[in-house]
């Protein structure tokens, strides 16, 4: 054989032998000797300690690639490593210990990427992982992998596949200490992993269960990750089913969501959204989230549900922004139960408060709610939300409909502009401003109310009472109040302003007042007229409110039997009543109308008595009565606001301007005129 041929064969044999020898060596090499090198490179890439403590084995696998996309590199098998008893520690600035551990992990390694100092792993499989997620403050956690100082090696991980295991979250920021136990599911075409949740969130017990997919895509954000779960946290229940995109960074959410609980206000720890106190509620709808960092957007679309016994539906959206997020939306109710509005101002029972997670602090002897408003939450976001209720039902039915209001919350100032509704053939138009920013008054609300009621028909107010259907009278009223406080009780106790009302041509009875819930009027009526219905020509009232005391400027009632003048005040701070009714009989047939009536006691427990020692005299023995001319002038706008035809209040107040009437016996007349 020629020498050149021998050389050529030797070179060719060497070329062939080297890779064959390399393959034999690689297949028979004890890869446990490579653990220190792999540990060091993984530690350098992840900036935290990584240790393979068990056996390390190697096999060779071709990567699955579609024939149309295959290149020459895809014919070369990749090394597939399996490591047992793998541990990854916490970053240097946190408590040392394992962030994650697994019974085994396996992955294929792209050999070509190693030439560029890149550890490229298409898929990482964990068996029985145990993960400890820790967060100690807003900027320190163990799940953020920092890139500084830069490493010569970098990690490129595409997706994670896991089987049964445990994930524990200890978050000191959100006050969460919860554990999820994972297990594989058999014969489920959509979900591969089942989970059970237990622990605490904001000192409330949290439990839950659900299912997820097994493949967690880290690079392909378009690959949806299926999630289904039911969670109970304290007084809130949440059920959701849908998908997450790029779940590690929560890039997007698309789920059907059902939420229920004792009060919408209890959602604040979970959502950061300021929602009102409500009765028990449940809603379900379509939740969409686009969670770009610093610009997250959420929308809860086409939701329906119930709050107490009232139905609700609509759409809400939240936009993350600076200095605070903005919530917008439209909410409507076809049938709103009036009693379901009670928790908004704390006007529900102590048992109801306890059920919705609020301390049952309403004193048994107080009528005005003492539950404090949580104004510290009002600066958490801004809001522009409209609410419309087509029909409103009270326990004793009142004809209220078409409530419409717009909630505008900005910089801690809540405005209801407008707050309008139709009422018994008339309407009530109002605006409310509640400044809870703390700029004016610390830890309290500076409140302003302006309201006008017009053309409220008495016969429509009580459509089920035959004795009132022949009346043609109306109610017209105005209120302007300002106050400072942190509850309804403290707001009323500091209120200033005025209240005015005229009722023209109607019928009143004990039954009517019972339907209105006016216990004081009910008792007074029984003392004056017995239980019979009484025709009311006019009722005119004008109160000045100063530092929580509502003082009568004018309060006069004209019936077919008598004209009744009322003097005194109602102290809204102490809830004490001090009113004196002086009836002036139109006929001698009603002897009981000659005695003054005193209304004392409290708003919750009024006490009505008659002074039998003082008789109402007419003509020569008349009681002196205070002049009504000046106070009556203040009620003139309400007369013009009503119907001028058959307006008995106009005649009554015109007569009152000319006719002097007297203070209690022993005090001088305030007019030179005498009663004729």
């Amino acid at each position: 054989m020629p020498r050149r041929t021998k050389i050529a064969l030797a070179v060719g044999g060497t070329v062939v032998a080297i890779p064959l020898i390399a393959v034999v060596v690689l297949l028979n090499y004890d890869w446990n000797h490579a653990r220190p090198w792999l540990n060091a490179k993984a530690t350098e890439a992840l900036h935290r300690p990584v240790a393979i403590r068990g056996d390390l084995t190697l096999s060779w696998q071709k990567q699955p690639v579609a024939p149309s996309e295959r290149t020459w590199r895809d014919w070369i098998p990749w090394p597939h490593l399996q490591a047992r008893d793998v541990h990854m520690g916490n970053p240097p600035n946190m408590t040392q210990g394992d962030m994650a551990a697994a019974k085994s992990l396996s992955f294929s390694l792209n050999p070509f990427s190693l030439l560029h100092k890149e550890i490229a792993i298409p898929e990482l499989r964990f068996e029985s992982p145990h993960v400890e997620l820790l967060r100690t403050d807003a900027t320190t956690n163990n799940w953020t992998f920092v890139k500084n100082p830069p490493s010569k090696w970098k990690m490129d991980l595409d997706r994670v596949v896991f089987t049964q295991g445990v994930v524990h979250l200890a978050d000191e920021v959100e006050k969460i200490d919860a554990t999820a136990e994972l297990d594989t599911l058999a014969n489920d075409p959509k979900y591969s992993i089942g989970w059970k949740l237990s622990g605490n969130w904001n000192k409330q017990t949290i439990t839950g269960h659900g299912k997820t997919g097994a493949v967690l895509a880290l690079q392909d954000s378009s690959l949806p990750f299926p999630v289904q779960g039911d969670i109970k946290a304290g007084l809130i229940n949440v059920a959701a089913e849908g998908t997450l995109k790029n779940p590690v960074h929560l890039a997007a959410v698309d789920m059907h969501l059902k939420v229920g609980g004792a009060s919408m206000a209890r959602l604040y720890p979970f959502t950061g959204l300021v929602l009102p106190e409500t009765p028990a509620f449940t809603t379900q709808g379509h939740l969409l989230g686009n969670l770009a960092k610093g610009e997250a957007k959420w929308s809860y679309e086409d939701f329906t549900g119930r709050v107490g016994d009232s139905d609700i539906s609509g759409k809400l959206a939240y936009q993350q922004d600076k200095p605070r997020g903005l919530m917008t939306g439209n909410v409507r109710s076809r049938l709103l139960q009036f009693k379901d509005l009670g928790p908004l101002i704390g006007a529900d029972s102590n048992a109801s408060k306890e059920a919705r997670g609020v301390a049952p602090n309403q004193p048994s002897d107080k009528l005005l709610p003492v539950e404090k408003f949580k104004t510290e939450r009002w600066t958490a976001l801004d809001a522009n939300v409209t609410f419309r209720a087509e029909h409103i039902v009270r326990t004793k039915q009142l004809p209220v409909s078409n409530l419409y209001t717009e909630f505008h919350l900005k910089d801690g100032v809540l405005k209801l502009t407008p707050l309008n509704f139709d009422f018994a053939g008339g309407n009530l138009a109002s605006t409310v401003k509640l400044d809870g920013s703390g700029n004016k008054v610390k830890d309290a609300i500076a409140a302003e109310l302006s309201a006008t009621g017009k053309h409220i028909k008495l016969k429509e107010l009580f459509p089920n009472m035959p004795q009132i259907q022949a009346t043609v009278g109306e109610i017209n009223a105005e209120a302007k109040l300002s106050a400072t406080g942190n509850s309804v009780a403290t707001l009323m106790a500091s209120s200033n302003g005025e209240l005015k009302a005229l009722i023209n041509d109607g019928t009143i009875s004990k039954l009517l007042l019972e339907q209105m819930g006016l216990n004081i009027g009910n008792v007074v009526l029984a003392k004056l007229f017995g239980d019979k219905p009484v025709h009311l020509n006019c009722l005119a009232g004008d109160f000045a409110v100063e530092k929580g005391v509502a003082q009568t400027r004018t309060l006069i009632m004209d019936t077919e039997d008598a004209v009744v003048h009322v003097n005194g005040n109602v102290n809204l701070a102490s809830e004490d009543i001090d009113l004196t009714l002086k009836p002036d009989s139109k006929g001698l047939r009603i002897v009981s109308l000659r005695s003054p009536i005193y209304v004392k006691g409290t708003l919750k427990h009024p006490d009505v008595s008659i002074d039998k020692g003082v008789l109402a005299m007419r003509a020569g023995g008349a009681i002196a009565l205070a002049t009504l001319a000046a106070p009556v002038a203040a009620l003139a706008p309400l007369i013009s606001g009503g119907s001028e035809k058959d307006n008995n209040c106009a005649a009554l107040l015109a007569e009152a301007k000319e006719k002097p009437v007297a203070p209690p016996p022993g005090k001088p007349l305030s007019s030179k005129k005498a009663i004729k």
Side-chain angles (χ1 to χ4, degrees), residues 123-165:
E123 182 177 279
L124 181 61
R125 288 182 172 270
F126 286 99
E127 181 183 350
S128 302
H130 187 108
V131 180
E132 292 282 343
L133 301 176
L134 307 175
R135 181 161 66 165
T136 57
D137 56 52
T139 60
T140 306
N141 63 67
N142 69 346
W143 58 78
T144 300
F145 290 82
V146 298
K147 297 182 179 180
N148 291 317
S151 171
K152 296 179 181 179
W153 288 80
K154 67 177 182 177
M155 177 77 75
D156 184 11
L157 179 60
D158 190 17
R159 59 188 180 273
V160 175
V161 180
F162 50 91
T163 59
Q164 61 189 33

Side-chain angles (χ1 to χ4, degrees), residues 3 16 80 116 172 230 370 467 534 546 555 561 584 614 630:
R3 187 169 181 269
V16 173
H80 183 78
H116 306 289
E172 295 184 14
D230 292 271
V370 302
Q467 63 267 41
V534 177
E546 184 176 358
L555 186 51
D561 294 324
D584 186 8
V614 179

Side-chain angles (χ1 to χ4, degrees), residues 51-113:
I52 302 172
R53 299 176 183 173
D55 288 337
L56 181 63
T57 58
L58 175 70
S59 61
W60 296 83
Q61 297 179 359
K62 285 185 178 181
Q63 299 304 298
V65 179
S68 60
E69 300 177 359
R70 185 173 295 168
T71 66
W72 67 269
R73 292 190 176 190
D74 298 315
W75 291 99
I76 299 176
W78 289 9
H80 183 78
L81 291 168
Q82 184 178 46
R84 296 188 175 278
D85 194 13
V86 182
H87 298 258
M88 180 172 65
N90 285 311
N93 60 336
M94 299 192 69
T95 302
Q96 293 306 298
D98 285 345
M99 173 191 173
K103 184 177 180 181
S104 73
L105 66 83
S106 58
F107 59 91
S108 293
L109 192 64
N110 186 340
F112 303 103
S113 297

Side-chain angles (χ1 to χ4, degrees), residues 440-505:
K440 290 187 176 182
V441 184
K442 187 177 180 180
D443 300 327
I445 294 173
E448 298 176 9
L449 166 68
S450 177
T452 302
K454 293 183 178 181
H455 309 301
I456 299 171
K457 307 294 190 297
L458 286 172
K459 64 180 180 181
E460 293 186 32
L461 186 61
F462 300 100
N464 298 324
M465 295 190 64
Q467 63 267 41
I468 205 172
Q469 291 308 298
T471 65
V472 295
E474 293 183 347
I475 301 175
N476 294 281
E478 289 182 355
K480 290 185 179 181
L481 294 171
S482 61
T484 300
N486 56 12
S487 67
V488 172
T490 55
L491 284 171
M492 297 302 292
S494 66
S495 57
N496 295 283
E498 58 183 7
L499 304 169
K500 302 176 184 179
L502 285 181
I503 301 177
N504 174 61
D505 188 16

Side-chain angles (χ1 to χ4, degrees), residues 159-488:
R159 59 188 180 273
V160 175
V161 180
F162 50 91
T163 59
Q164 61 189 33
V166 175
V167 178
H168 175 238
L169 172 62
D171 187 343
E172 295 184 14
V173 176
E174 298 294 339
K175 307 302 181 186
I176 303 173
D177 187 356
T179 300
E181 298 180 1
L182 314 176
D183 202 355
T184 52
L185 298 175
N187 302 320
D188 192 317
K190 186 175 182 180
Y191 300 102
S192 302
I193 300 294
W195 54 268
K196 293 182 180 180
L197 181 67
S198 61
N200 296 282
W201 189 341
N202 284 300
K203 299 181 180 180
Q204 299 182 84
T205 300
I206 180 171
T207 59
H209 60 87
K211 298 178 287 187
T212 70
V215 179
L216 191 62
L218 304 182
Q219 302 295 335
D220 186 0
S221 60
S222 64
L223 185 63
F225 182 69
V227 175
Q228 181 273 325
D230 292 271
I231 297 175
K232 178 177 176 58
L235 300 176
I236 295 296
N237 298 283
V238 179
E241 183 170 13
T243 60
L244 305 177
K245 290 184 179 179
N246 196 357
V248 172
H249 299 97
L250 282 180
V253 175
D254 185 347
M255 291 189 177
H256 179 79
L257 179 68
K258 184 176 182 180
V259 183
S263 171
M264 287 189 179
R266 303 290 83 74
L267 289 171
Y268 181 79
F270 313 112
T271 65
L273 300 180
V274 180
L275 297 173
E277 289 286 353
T278 68
F281 75 98
T282 179
T283 69
Q284 57 181 335
H286 190 192
L287 179 68
L288 295 171
N290 185 357
L291 309 182
K293 187 175 181 180
E295 299 178 352
K297 296 180 181 179
W298 293 89
S299 63
Y300 190 34
E301 300 181 350
D302 301 323
F303 71 81
T304 59
R306 301 197 68 80
V307 179
D309 294 323
S310 307
D311 69 278
I312 59 169
S313 60
K315 175 183 177 180
L316 291 172
Y318 175 78
Q319 169 70 61
Q320 188 178 14
D321 202 354
K322 293 182 179 181
R324 62 188 65 85
L326 174 65
M327 183 168 63
T328 58
N330 299 283
V331 182
R332 59 187 177 273
S333 175
R334 289 173 297 181
L335 184 62
L336 175 66
Q337 296 288 342
F338 195 79
K339 64 181 177 62
D340 292 333
L341 298 176
L344 289 172
I345 57 174
D348 53 340
S349 67
N350 279 340
S352 173
K353 294 179 195 297
E354 191 170 11
R356 59 182 171 88
V358 174
N361 58 356
Q362 184 66 28
S364 60
D365 60 339
K366 295 295 182 181
L367 181 66
L368 299 176
V370 302
E371 182 179 327
K372 293 182 178 180
F373 299 115
K374 296 179 176 62
T375 55
E376 70 276 6
R377 298 178 177 177
W378 289 18
T379 55
L381 85 165
D382 294 337
N384 292 308
V385 178
T386 64
F387 176 73
R388 185 185 299 276
E390 296 177 14
H391 300 285
I392 303 175
V393 177
R394 190 173 180 263
T395 305
K396 305 285 187 178
Q397 287 195 2
L398 291 176
V400 182
S401 61
N402 295 327
L403 183 149
Y404 177 79
T405 187
E406 296 179 6
F407 295 87
H408 301 285
L409 178 62
K410 186 174 179 61
D411 296 334
V413 179
L414 176 62
K415 296 180 180 179
L416 279 66
T417 52
L419 173 57
N420 298 341
F421 53 87
D422 296 338
F423 184 60
N427 60 79
L428 189 143
S430 64
T431 60
V432 178
K433 179 181 178 181
L434 303 172
D435 188 344
S437 65
N439 294 330
K440 290 187 176 182
V441 184
K442 187 177 180 180
D443 300 327
I445 294 173
E448 298 176 9
L449 166 68
S450 177
T452 302
K454 293 183 178 181
H455 309 301
I456 299 171
K457 307 294 190 297
L458 286 172
K459 64 180 180 181
E460 293 186 32
L461 186 61
F462 300 100
N464 298 324
M465 295 190 64
Q467 63 267 41
I468 205 172
Q469 291 308 298
T471 65
V472 295
E474 293 183 347
I475 301 175
N476 294 281
E478 289 182 355
K480 290 185 179 181
L481 294 171
S482 61
T484 300
N486 56 12
S487 67
V488 172

